[in-house]
């Protein structure tokens, strides 16, 4: 048996690539037909609940082209949205303590996908329910910050600070359920950054519940050596500016002294977005040592300048805790949203509505 020549190997690879492209084209056409059928099967009211023109197609892809499954899951999502109202959800834990969570959009990659960065080191709140709420708020924020034509985000999850107490299959299942059921085909890539050996225990437990398509989107990246980490980010279509920002952020989150002083203030971010002009590091914009801005890259801040609506939910949701009045809760939310958008009037209206409803 003779070995293939280099030319024969290249030709064979080309044939394989062509066949894969043809198969993908046929599959895409079939999915498009199914999406049309699903859209036609929805009632007029249900079509009004679609968040964008690509939502039906995402559910068709997530269900491998099954019309029945795509229709069922869409309707389950509609019911979930009516109940949860994710587009107007606020993180109560972060209202009470800005250091409760550390997960937010920090920039965009070269493909225009929003980059979500999270880290456990600065986090004080480990509640599954409250972390679930914060995750939903962040997902909704990422969607609002997507440029036209972009449907996915990239999540960089920094495992600095992860310990045995964080090996919680219940929380992992909750996160996977919300992501898969209500935000299908939104995850472009999930970067597991600097995972400790103890994380392998949790990953082995939850991996059977993870869809193979999602598993293919997971990349493990170490922080040392730094050049290797940067190369890994580069392969993920991260710009040099984003890589520089992540490198500084990652370094800061391994410095206990700096971590103690880090406060991610959504109110201040909104003020930054509402302020015209170019972003200047170090000018009261969340900068720490060396002018690093914890809110995101320069490109990200420039995108926000003059566009505060990108951060503003369509409405607010006041949910008084046990023993707390609606007015007290709305007063707390005032700290989270900029008054310049007339949120005081909306909060008063919501307070009145909640009070009347409770009677």
């Amino acid at each position: 048996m003779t070995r293939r020549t280099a030319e024969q190997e290249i030709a064979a690879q080309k044939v394989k690539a062509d066949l894969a492209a043809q198969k993908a084209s046929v599959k895409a056409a079939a999915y498009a037909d199914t999406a049309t059928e699903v859209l036609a099967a929805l009632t007029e009211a249900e079509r009004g609940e679609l968040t964008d023109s690509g939502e039906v197609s995402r559910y068709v892809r997530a269900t491998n082209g099954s019309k029945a499954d795509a229709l069922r899951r869409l309707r389950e999502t509609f019911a979930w949205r009516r109940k949860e109202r994710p587009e107007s959800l606020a993180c109560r834990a972060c209202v009470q303590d800005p250091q409760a969570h550390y997960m937010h959009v920090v920039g965009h990659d070269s493909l225009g996908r929003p980059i979500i960065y999270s880290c456990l080191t600065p986090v004080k709140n480990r509640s599954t329910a409250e972390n679930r709420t914060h995750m939903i708020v962040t997902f909704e924020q990422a969607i609002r910050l997507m440029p036209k034509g972009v449907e996915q985000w990239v999540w960089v999850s920094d495992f600095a600070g992860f310990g045995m107490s964080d090996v919680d299959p219940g929380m992992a299942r909750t996160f996977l359920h919300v992501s898969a059921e209500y935000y299908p085909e939104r995850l472009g890539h999930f970067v597991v950054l600097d995972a400790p050996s103890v994380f392998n225990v949790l990953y082995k437990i939850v991996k059977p519940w993870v869809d193979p398509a999602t598993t293919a989107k997971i990349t493990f990246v170490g922080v040392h050596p730094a050049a290797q980490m940067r190369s890994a980010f580069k392969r993920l279509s991260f710009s040099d500016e984003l890589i520089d920002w992540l490198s500084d952020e990652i370094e800061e989150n391994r410095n206990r002294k700096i971590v103690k002083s880090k406060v991610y203030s959504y109110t201040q971010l909104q003020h930054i977005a509402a302020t015209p002009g170019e972003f200047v590091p170090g000018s009261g914009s969340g900068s720490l040592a060396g002018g690093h801005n914890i809110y995101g890259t320069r490109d990200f801040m420039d995108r926000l300048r003059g566009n505060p609506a990108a951060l503003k939910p369509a409405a607010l949701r006041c949910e008084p805790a046990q023993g707390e009045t609606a007015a007290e809760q709305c007063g707390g939310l005032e700290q989270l949203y900029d008054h310049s958008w007339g949120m005081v009037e909306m909060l008063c209206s919501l307070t009145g509505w909640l009070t009347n409803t409770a009677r």
Side-chain angles (χ1 to χ4, degrees):
M1 184 176 179
T2 59
R3 292 184 178 179
R4 287 183 175 180
T5 65
E7 291 79 6
Q8 288 174 328
E9 185 64 33
I10 292 173
Q13 290 178 359
K14 185 177 184 305
V15 170
K16 185 177 181 180
D18 288 345
L19 288 173
Q22 291 174 12
K23 183 178 180 180
S25 179
V26 171
K27 186 176 183 179
Y31 281 9
D33 290 341
T34 302
T36 300
E37 293 174 3
V38 171
L39 186 61
L42 294 174
T43 66
E44 184 177 351
E46 288 172 334
R47 286 195 289 273
E49 295 189 67
L50 293 171
T51 57
D52 61 83
S53 59
E55 184 165 24
V56 172
S57 294
R58 289 194 297 274
Y59 277 79
V60 169
R61 294 198 301 272
T63 55
N64 295 316
S66 169
K67 175 185 174 181
D69 289 344
L71 196 57
R72 172 183 56 78
R73 287 187 53 183
L74 269 169
R75 284 171 171 158
E76 289 174 353
T77 297
F78 293 157
W80 176 78
R81 285 185 191 145
R82 287 191 293 269
K83 178 182 178 181
E84 297 265 353
R85 294 174 59 195
E87 75 286 348
S88 59
L89 203 60
C91 180
R92 286 177 54 91
C94 288
V95 172
Q96 296 167 359
D97 181 1
Q99 291 183 313
H101 301 122
Y102 203 79
M103 175 186 181
H104 41 271
V105 180
V106 300
H108 295 78
D109 67 6
S110 299
L111 302 177
R113 298 177 298 185
I115 304 298
I116 296 171
Y117 174 82
S118 64
C119 184
L120 288 170
T121 304
V123 170
K124 292 182 179 179
N125 187 302
R126 253 53 172 191
S127 162
T128 297
E130 291 176 335
N131 273 275
R132 174 185 180 275
T133 296
H134 188 88
M135 181 183 72
I136 293 172
V137 170
T138 304
F139 285 172
E140 292 294 321
Q141 183 70 85
I143 292 171
R144 285 194 294 274
L145 291 168
M146 287 178 179
K148 186 178 180 179
V150 174
E151 292 187 306
Q152 298 182 318
W153 57 66
V154 176
W155 183 352
V156 178
S157 182
D158 189 345
F159 277 78
F162 187 91
M164 280 301 298
S165 61
D166 297 304
V167 181
D168 183 357
M171 183 176 289
R173 281 197 301 267
T174 297
F175 281 17
L176 288 169
H177 174 75
V178 171
S179 299
E181 294 300 315
Y182 309 124
Y183 297 93
E185 296 295 304
R186 285 296 196 183
L187 179 66
H189 217 90
F190 184 74
V191 180
V192 179
L193 186 66
D194 199 22
S197 56
V198 68
F199 174 76
N200 293 329
V201 176
L202 178 61
Y203 188 65
K204 288 179 180 178
I205 294 173
V206 302
K207 191 174 181 180
W209 304 319
V210 183
D211 185 273
T214 301
T215 303
K217 298 178 181 179
I218 299 175
T219 297
F220 286 79
V221 177
V223 297
H224 300 296
Q228 186 173 323
M229 178 185 71
R230 293 181 69 90
S231 294
F233 286 156
K234 197 73 174 178
R235 290 192 294 272
L236 292 170
S237 300
F238 288 9
S239 67
D240 290 337
E241 182 194 10
L242 177 60
I243 294 173
D244 289 341
W245 186 91
L246 285 169
S247 297
D248 290 343
E249 180 72 14
I250 290 164
E251 182 179 354
E252 280 196 354
N253 288 334
R254 283 154 180 77
N255 183 315
R256 293 183 180 179
K257 184 177 180 180
I258 291 179
V259 166
K260 288 181 179 179
S261 65
K262 296 185 82 164
V263 177
Y264 185 92
S265 169
Y266 197 79
T267 301
Q268 183 165 2
L269 181 62
Q270 289 184 311
H271 280 297
I272 293 170
T275 304
E278 189 177 17
F279 163 66
V280 180
S283 59
S285 302
S287 60
L288 296 176
H292 175 65
N293 182 58
I294 64 173
Y295 296 114
T297 65
R298 184 190 185 99
D299 172 71
F300 178 63
M301 302 307 294
D302 287 343
R303 290 182 188 227
L304 291 183
R305 289 285 187 184
N307 186 28
L311 299 175
K312 173 188 169 187
L316 287 182
R317 180 180 183 181
C318 295
E319 292 183 318
Q322 186 174 4
E324 180 182 42
T325 67
E328 289 171 339
Q329 169 58 7
C330 288
L333 284 173
E334 285 180 11
Q335 302 171 25
L336 186 64
Y337 294 96
D338 192 344
H339 293 186
S340 64
W341 287 313
M343 301 313 296
V344 174
E345 289 81 3
M346 182 177 289
L347 289 167
C348 290
S349 298
L350 283 171
T351 299
W353 178 81
L354 287 168
T355 301
N356 291 333
T357 302
R359 291 173 180 171

